[in-house]
Amino acid sequence: MECEICGREIKGRGFKVIVEGSEVTVCARCKEHGAVKPEKIDQGVKKLVLKKKQKLSRPVEFTEELIENYHLIIKREREKRGWSQEVLAKKIQEKASLVRKIENAEITPEPEVVEKLEKLFNITLREKIPEIKIDLKKTNLTPTLGDVVVIKKKKR
Ligand SMILES: [Zn+2]
């Protein structure tokens, strides 16, 4: 059996990974270039696997980032309900000063705070950004570093 990315002979069974949405069998080295296929598991575990990978700074297909103008959206949702920053702070069990800083975009809220705001307002403040893409067609099956295209969105 040959690796479907580098063409090398695979010793043993090889690894199944997802590249550009399709499953390919690759060698141990190329395994690092794709997202490992999650075992038949529920959403919760899948998310956990993804988080773990991000911590190890290994390639992942998607990463979650705060949307642009998230602070304006929070402010708008709060004002729509006629709440002061203090009221909102109490509802998410945070300090009013934190709410003020978030709305002024002085700080980036912690994921836990973002989650609380999303639940409270029933909105989404994050979006999934594709982080790493492997172009198999272009690489002629011999990937080099330059072939890994990073399209991570730049932060302000
Ligand atoms: Zn390989």
Side-chain angles (χ1 to χ4, degrees):
M1 162 147 279
E2 281 177 357
C3 169
E4 288 179 56
I5 289 183
C6 71
R8 232 183 279 268
E9 184 77 29
I10 298 175
K11 296 187 183 80
R13 284 165 53 230
F15 299 90
K16 289 236 189 294
V17 300
I18 304 292
V19 178
E20 288 192 318
S22 46
E23 195 179 286
V24 294
T25 306
V26 300
C27 68
R29 274 182 58 188
C30 294
K31 192 183 83 167
E32 303 296 315
H33 292 277
V36 179
K37 189 187 184 185
E39 304 292 342
K40 27 154 189 44
I41 35 170
D42 62 41
Q43 281 296 101
V45 183
K46 225 185 254 180
K47 263 188 201 156
L48 211 89
V49 172
L50 214 75
K51 267 197 187 143
K52 235 185 195 165
K53 271 195 205 151
Q54 280 173 333
K55 262 186 198 148
L56 295 169
S57 71
R58 284 172 63 184
V60 291
E61 287 189 324
F62 289 95
T63 184
E64 279 194 336
E65 277 193 15
L66 282 168
I67 53 176
E68 232 174 296
N69 297 331
Y70 67 89
H71 57 289
L72 298 177
I73 294 167
I74 294 167
K75 190 170 186 225
R76 195 190 62 202
E77 291 294 327
R78 176 179 64 75
E79 287 176 343
K80 229 161 69 180
R81 288 162 175 79
W83 298 344
S84 64
Q85 290 179 338
E86 286 75 19
V87 171
L88 173 58
K90 264 195 197 125
K91 287 191 188 286
I92 60 169
Q93 293 167 315
E94 299 289 347
K95 288 193 182 121
S97 58
L98 182 84
V99 171
R100 195 194 64 227
K101 280 177 187 162
I102 291 172
E103 287 188 359
N104 291 339
E106 283 171 38
I107 57 158
T108 307
E110 297 287 320
E112 304 92 73
V113 177
V114 174
E115 217 161 279
K116 280 192 273 188
L117 288 165
E118 284 179 333
K119 272 192 194 147
L120 181 66
F121 292 137
N122 195 25
I123 53 172
T124 305
L125 294 169
R126 291 169 289 192
E127 61 184 343
K128 289 199 163 173
I129 310 284
E131 205 171 58
I132 288 170
K133 193 174 184 284
I134 304 168
D135 194 342
L136 277 183
K137 283 149 238 147
K138 216 176 73 188
T139 60
N140 200 19
L141 303 186
T142 44
T144 62
L145 258 182
D147 292 318
V148 180
V149 184
V150 180
I151 34 177
K152 196 170 187 303
K153 217 176 161 188
K154 261 181 99 182
K155 279 209 166 146
R156 282 173 295 128

